[in-house]
Amino acid sequence: MPEIIEFSGTILTGPKDERRGLWSVDGRLTFVRPPAKPDAVLDGWVLPGMVDAHCHVGLGKGGAVDEETARLQATADRNAGTLLIRDAGSASDTRWLQNQPDMPRIIRAGRHIAKQRRYIRGLAEEVEPEDLVEAVRKQARSGDGWVKIVGDWIDRSTGDLGPSFPATTVKDAVAAAHDEGARVTAHCFAEETIDDMLDAGIDCIEHATGLLPHHIPRLLDQGVPIVPTLINIATFPDIARQAESKFPRYAAHMTRLWEPRHERVREAFDAGVRVYAGTDAGSVIKHGRIGEEILELHQAGLPAWAALDAACWSAREWLGVDGVSEGASADVVLYGKDPRAFLDVVLKPKAIVLRGHISGSGKH
């Protein structure tokens, strides 16, 4: 007997597209009513499972974590409604999680690539500039179509943020990743780093706190999206306070990057730059906070439907994963109210269905 779930509420196939009548039959979605009675009926507003486009399952403050900790991290994300994760670098090999039917789908990026002694210890593969291209090729071959470069970090010799690698080297590295069939994203805090990455032909910008007006036409022309990770950027004032006595220039710079964070995201969105939701859960940020990131994007000025879209329909399309469509995997999240009108319901899903199985009630 097939396992059948009937969804009796409104189905959102897009941010502005509604329909009725959806079923999960043996883990696949269909708009055609099956002849057999359902095993379960779920009521609520149905959306594709949320996407966390910047998440680090398998990563802790000191680097790789054990399998049980990684499972707990992924479970927290799932219970928050995140059913698709774009991994943004992890010291752990999480391929084993991809085979777990009760865990979110993970698109892996291998391990971060950073300059030696210029990043958080234990998190990245650290290399000198002359070894960057080969490191990118290695991570491209071990991931699922993405590579993550740490574009900038504090340079203690100057006391401020500085690029991790020479611009010409980054350009060669991005070309190498593309040659391997992978896209490249980069951690970018500082203003000049975004210029270097766009010059290199990067595919995505993480954080983008240094976004300036002259970057926006380039992002549009090159089709490069941003993942602002606003709940992580909220930690900048604490970082600045801790660094102020020893690195005052860096502290002041981090504060300047933090202050206009909402305005920069809104300006990019208004201009047509694609914005996707990512929590940066991992070493510092707790897992299971996609709802908070959606609300933060709304606070930055994105309409409610667009803040949802950043973590839902368009994010899935960008990553090449089906949403709510005929024959798609039954990975959906249900809310008690229309989240476009009552956005705070994203903090507590009513029900979660993953691969056709009822997986959680939204209780973290």
Side-chain angles (χ1 to χ4, degrees):
M1 287 287 292
E3 184 176 355
I4 301 172
I5 300 172
E6 179 180 352
F7 301 99
S8 62
T10 301
I11 317 303
L12 295 182
T13 57
K16 300 180 181 179
D17 302 313
E18 299 180 12
R19 64 183 299 173
R20 304 284 296 207
L22 181 70
W23 293 262
S24 168
V25 180
D26 281 349
R28 294 287 168 182
L29 295 175
T30 182
F31 297 108
V32 179
R33 180 185 294 274
K37 290 184 178 180
D39 300 288
V41 178
L42 298 179
D43 185 35
W45 293 77
V46 182
L47 286 74
M50 293 295 141
V51 179
D52 190 336
H54 186 129
C55 189
H56 304 280
V57 174
L59 191 67
K61 291 183 178 180
V65 299
D66 58 34
E67 289 191 357
E68 179 59 26
T69 301
R71 176 179 282 278
L72 290 172
Q73 292 174 341
T75 299
D77 291 321
R78 182 203 68 197
N79 289 351
T82 296
L83 304 185
L84 177 62
I85 291 169
R86 185 188 65 143
D87 162 64
S90 179
S92 299
D93 185 342
T94 55
R95 275 175 281 204
W96 66 274
L97 271 171
Q98 293 176 311
N99 299 319
Q100 305 299 309
D102 59 339
M103 291 289 102
R105 300 179 188 277
I106 302 177
I107 298 173
R108 298 170 44 260
R111 194 169 186 178
H112 306 62
I113 304 170
K115 190 177 186 301
Q116 283 193 346
R117 295 176 295 279
R118 284 281 306 280
Y119 194 52
I120 303 170
R121 185 178 301 175
L123 268 59
E125 178 181 1
E126 299 187 8
V127 299
E128 290 298 338
E130 59 268 25
D131 298 318
L132 178 62
V133 170
E134 187 54 38
V136 163
R137 289 190 179 276
K138 172 186 171 184
Q139 295 305 329
R141 292 167 186 167
S142 68
D144 300 323
W146 282 93
V147 176
K148 165 78 171 295
I149 295 174
V150 178
D152 57 30
W153 200 251
I154 185 171
D155 183 342
R156 287 170 174 79
S157 66
T158 65
D160 198 1
L161 287 170
S164 301
F165 302 102
T168 55
T169 305
V170 173
K171 188 171 185 178
D172 290 342
V174 171
H178 290 168
D179 183 57
E180 297 287 343
R183 290 185 279 184
V184 185
T185 193
H187 163 110
C188 298
F189 282 168
E191 298 84 351
E192 66 182 286
T193 314
I194 297 178
D195 289 299
D196 289 350
M197 294 301 162
L198 290 172
D199 288 344
I202 201 77
D203 300 289
C204 183
I205 299 290
E206 310 296 319
H207 314 303
T209 48
L211 189 68
L212 296 175
H214 78 266
H215 294 133
I216 291 177
R218 299 195 65 191
L219 291 167
L220 288 168
D221 290 344
Q222 296 177 221
V224 177
I226 62 172
V227 183
T229 66
L230 288 172
I231 62 171
N232 178 38
I233 304 312
T235 66
F236 276 23
D238 285 339
I239 294 171
R241 281 192 290 271
Q242 292 172 26
E244 190 169 13
S245 61
K246 193 171 183 180
F247 300 108
R249 285 181 58 199
Y250 169 72
H253 196 174
M254 294 295 279
T255 300
R256 291 197 307 274
L257 292 173
W258 170 77
E259 288 171 341
R261 65 200 182 283
H262 286 161
E263 291 83 353
R264 286 173 169 170
V265 172
R266 177 57 188 263
E267 288 167 4
F269 171 79
D270 284 346
V273 174
R274 289 174 294 159
V275 178
Y276 297 117
T279 63
D280 205 1
S283 62
V284 176
I285 303 298
K286 290 183 179 180
H287 287 261
R289 297 182 64 188
I290 191 62
E292 294 175 56
E293 184 66 22
I294 292 169
L295 292 175
E296 191 74 13
L297 288 171
H298 183 47
Q299 186 177 345
L302 273 66
W305 68 264
L308 275 171
D309 195 32
C312 193
W313 306 277
S314 67
R316 283 179 167 267
E317 183 179 2
W318 173 51
L319 296 173
V321 180
D322 290 336
V324 174
S325 60
E326 187 70 32
S329 178
D331 300 346
V332 298
V333 58
L334 288 80
Y335 299 104
K337 297 179 181 180
D338 183 350
R340 299 168 301 177
F342 304 93
L343 190 58
D344 60 353
V345 300
V346 297
L347 296 173
K348 191 174 182 180
K350 182 178 181 181
I352 294 160
V353 177
L354 177 59
R355 297 178 177 88
H357 299 288
I358 302 172
S359 296
S361 62
K363 296 178 180 177
H364 300 192

